[in-house]
Amino acid sequence: MGSDVLPCYVACDISLSMADHIEELNRGLREFRGAVHADASVADRVLCSVIGFGEEPAAVHGLYLTGEVAELPPPSPCAGTNFGPVFTFLRSAIDTDIRLLETHRVRVHRPLVFFLSDGQPTDPVTWPAAFSSLCDPAWPRRPRVVAFGVGDADEEALGRIGTFRTYLGRDGVRLGTALIASVMHVLSTSGPPPGRTLS
């Protein structure tokens, strides 16, 4: 592991509404994994965790080197897509992971969260409070959040979530490209990666 690392959390909607997009997301994860693994300058600096969510979030795997990133499971039978629980899950996971890394004297970049969904939450009233807690400016471990919309994504919801950048698959942007661009920009500059800013 490098002396400085970037923790990345890929939170993927795997509810029934995403059934037609899971293979697209897995292709993006494979492309991301291959690109990071092939670049010796970043291969041991990027750690990645994958989280699937529908009604409730569940870790597909914890924070590993990107070359070990697993693929997403098939969509769950649940019809719900609750955003709030995954934001609460992310805050807890980030806090735990960074505490552990810091005990090993590893310099940790501010985390990066990739939030992938068709952007139609079934908890529209309650998720904003959980998201505000995740991105609380008073919390030093708050992540940069990149939102990636697939299918008939709800631009308004994703625009509120993508604090760092928002991409839409229907614009022709591939998931792998968005993941790679975001990681490389965080490692090389404090500015956001290129992409679409939603108004």
Side-chain angles (χ1 to χ4, degrees), residues 177-189:
T177 301
L179 290 170
I180 295 160
S182 300
V183 165
M184 296 307 293
H185 274 76
V186 169
L187 291 175
S188 63
T189 178

Side-chain angles (χ1 to χ4, degrees), residues 98-117:
I98 292 182
R99 284 180 189 276
L100 181 60
L101 287 168
E102 289 176 344
T103 64
H104 291 87
R105 301 186 183 278
V106 175
R107 188 170 77 87
V108 183
H109 289 268
R110 188 173 154 201
L112 190 60
V113 166
F114 301 98
F115 183 84
L116 316 175
S117 178

Side-chain angles (χ1 to χ4, degrees), residues 57 66 84 171 173 184:
T66 304
D171 286 345
V173 181
M184 296 307 293

Side-chain angles (χ1 to χ4, degrees), residues 5-26:
V5 299
L6 172 63
C8 298
Y9 296 82
V10 183
C12 297
D13 182 349
I14 56 170
S15 62
L16 280 178
S17 65
M18 293 287 290
D20 293 337
H21 306 291
I22 294 297
E23 181 51 36
E24 173 190 350
L25 299 187
N26 277 324

Side-chain angles (χ1 to χ4, degrees), residues 83-152:
F83 286 7
V86 75
F87 296 141
T88 300
F89 182 96
L90 282 163
R91 172 151 179 152
S92 177
I94 288 169
D95 199 49
T96 300
D97 290 342
I98 292 182
R99 284 180 189 276
L100 181 60
L101 287 168
E102 289 176 344
T103 64
H104 291 87
R105 301 186 183 278
V106 175
R107 188 170 77 87
V108 183
H109 289 268
R110 188 173 154 201
L112 190 60
V113 166
F114 301 98
F115 183 84
L116 316 175
S117 178
D118 57 6
Q120 298 176 10
T122 49
D123 58 343
V125 175
T126 57
W127 76 257
F131 183 72
S132 293
S133 178
L134 175 66
C135 296
D136 183 354
W139 186 42
R141 296 186 175 113
R142 70 190 183 281
R144 301 172 174 91
V145 183
V146 177
F148 190 95
V150 299
D152 187 23

